[in-house]
Amino acid sequence: MIVLKISNASELVAAKLGKFLESLTPDGLDQATVEDILLKELIKNLASEGLKGEVASVKGLDLEGSKLVISETLQVRRHQSF
């Protein structure tokens, strides 16, 4: 299993859309948007290499150094097989 943590979603949205629009969107929306785009591209690339599997965007799971932290409100936000 691979865990990927995106730590600069707000900055990426600001760079792509501009500071004004970024200030109007909550950080949670930024994170979800970047995760959705990343999952779409990841699935496309992995499938083109012949790999099969599943990928999910999970809310309530965090990486803190070498520890995986699970909150009480763990929720799979998006799941897709490829």
Side-chain angles (χ1 to χ4, degrees), residues 1-12 30-32 34-35 38-39 42 55-70:
M1 179 173 287
I2 297 171
V3 176
L4 174 66
K5 179 179 180 178
I6 300 167
S7 58
N8 68 334
S10 293
E11 293 87 0
L12 182 61
D30 294 348
Q31 186 75 22
V34 170
E35 286 176 0
L38 178 67
L39 286 180
L42 184 61
V55 65
S57 174
V58 180
K59 184 176 183 180
L61 186 66
D62 198 11
L63 225 119
E64 294 179 0
S66 62
K67 294 182 182 179
L68 191 59
V69 179
I70 302 171

Side-chain angles (χ1 to χ4, degrees), residues 44-61:
K44 184 171 72 173
N45 289 325
L46 293 174
S48 73
E49 293 295 327
L51 291 167
K52 293 182 181 179
E54 299 175 53
V55 65
S57 174
V58 180
K59 184 176 183 180
L61 186 66

